[in-house]
Amino acid sequence: MRLKQNSYVTESYRKLAVNIEYANIDGNIKTIMITSSMANEGKSTTISNLACVMTELNKRVILMDLDLRKPSVHKYFNLSNNSGLTDLLLNKNNYKNYIHNIQPGLDVMTSGRVPSNTTEIIISKAIKELLKDLSENYDYILLDTPPIMLVSDPVNIAIYADAVILAIAYAETDKETIKKTIDVLKQVNANIIGTVLNKVPQNKKNKYYYYY
Ligand SMILES: Nc1ncnc2c1ncn2[C@@H]1O[C@H](COP(=O)(O)OP(=O)(O)OP(=O)(O)O)[C@@H](O)[C@H]1O
Ligand SMILES: [Mg+2]
């Protein structure tokens, strides 16, 4: 996956990156997760593109695939997923052995083999320790996660992530569902720093693209 340098789409991701920087003026945000209400709302696409453009702001970024339900970050970057996060946690190895460098400033850790006990992994002490280690080497740790309405993993991740971006597919997810999702996230005191509206028809883009 390669973004076109000057396309409208790339500009949208750049705006998102800059807005995150503004939301992080005090420097308290390190771990940022993306989630959505339902499947297929553009989470993986958004977080992968965001990771790429953040390096333009001279940030050191690691993108981790925490969607253990349906990992896909490796596909965006044409990487093998033979080993990754789950293998790292199992083997208690050095995390550097599980990192793919994509471009200067951007590293990716794929999910690794998908286990049946995803919850245990997501809430493990080991993953929190890993994030702590990573935070010493990166400006941002970006996490791709599953949809809130389908599994409990994203809510568990929201408990320790510093910030949450909510992806919403235009005209696909109804308002009630979005409201429910926000309520669930608020219950665990998630810091929702913004929403990204995906799949907006071309002719409505200027009117509807927003971020807060
Ligand atoms: N902004 C966008 N505009 C149009 N199409 C998009 C946009 N973002 C993503 N898509 C398309 O929507 C589909 C789903 O995208 P993606 O895999 O990123 O969603 P997801 O929320 O990660 O899905 P899942 O819940 O399965 O993990 C893909 O075909 C992708 O190309
Ligand atoms: Mg996805």
Side-chain angles (χ1 to χ4, degrees):
M1 182 199 63
R2 282 284 170 266
L3 280 171
K4 291 192 197 111
Q5 272 301 308
N6 296 310
S7 72
Y8 176 88
V9 177
T10 312
E11 266 322 302
S12 302
Y13 292 121
R14 285 193 182 119
K15 273 185 205 154
L16 178 60
V18 168
N19 279 316
I20 288 170
E21 281 283 277
Y22 279 119
N24 194 24
I25 279 178
D26 290 335
N28 300 328
I29 299 174
K30 182 77 99 171
T31 312
I32 304 174
M33 64 177 276
I34 191 159
T35 189
S36 62
S37 304
M38 310 303 293
N40 220 27
E41 295 207 64
K43 295 178 290 301
S44 304
T45 309
T46 302
I47 201 80
S48 299
N49 286 313
L50 177 64
C52 292
V53 299
M54 268 188 154
T55 63
E56 295 174 6
L57 303 174
N58 284 326
K59 299 293 161 192
R60 290 162 305 162
V61 178
I62 182 160
L63 170 60
M64 269 171 62
D65 198 344
L66 281 191
D67 186 345
L68 302 181
R69 169 202 61 115
K70 193 184 151 201
S72 68
V73 168
H74 60 283
K75 293 183 196 154
Y76 282 87
F77 294 96
N78 279 323
L79 300 169
S80 145
N81 193 25
N82 280 341
S83 82
L85 172 72
T86 56
D87 309 277
L88 164 63
L89 296 178
L90 198 71
N91 300 332
K92 301 177 177 60
N93 223 312
N94 186 329
Y95 74 78
K96 290 184 180 159
N97 296 335
Y98 293 82
I99 279 174
H100 302 266
N101 179 249
I102 305 297
Q103 62 193 52
L106 174 59
D107 288 342
V108 166
M109 191 184 293
T110 66
S111 70
R113 264 160 296 172
V114 180
S116 52
N117 58 335
T118 64
T119 307
E120 278 167 40
I121 289 178
I122 292 298
I123 66 173
S124 67
K125 220 161 116 191
I127 203 167
K128 288 166 202 163
E129 272 163 19
L130 171 64
L131 291 173
K132 203 165 145 241
D133 285 352
L134 293 173
S135 69
E136 280 160 26
N137 273 323
Y138 296 93
D139 296 307
Y140 287 108
I141 303 165
L142 303 182
L143 308 175
D144 193 16
T145 81
I148 297 257
M149 292 295 154
L150 301 193
V151 280
S152 60
D153 288 357
V155 179
N156 285 322
I157 298 166
I159 293 171
Y160 52 77
D162 301 323
V164 180
I165 297 170
L166 189 61
I168 299 171
Y170 178 85
E172 281 181 26
T173 310
D174 62 84
K175 278 191 189 138
E176 268 314 300
T177 308
I178 297 168
K179 201 174 158 290
K180 228 182 270 172
T181 299
I182 293 172
D183 285 346
V184 169
L185 285 167
K186 282 191 173 158
Q187 270 166 27
V188 296
N189 290 321
N191 176 20
I192 306 173
I193 56 166
T195 52
V196 174
L197 200 56
N198 285 318
K199 306 191 188 178
V200 180
Q202 276 297 329
N203 59 343
K204 297 205 164 125
K205 277 214 161 124
N206 286 328
K207 208 166 148 200
Y208 284 101
Y209 181 85
Y210 64 96
Y211 187 85
Y212 60 84

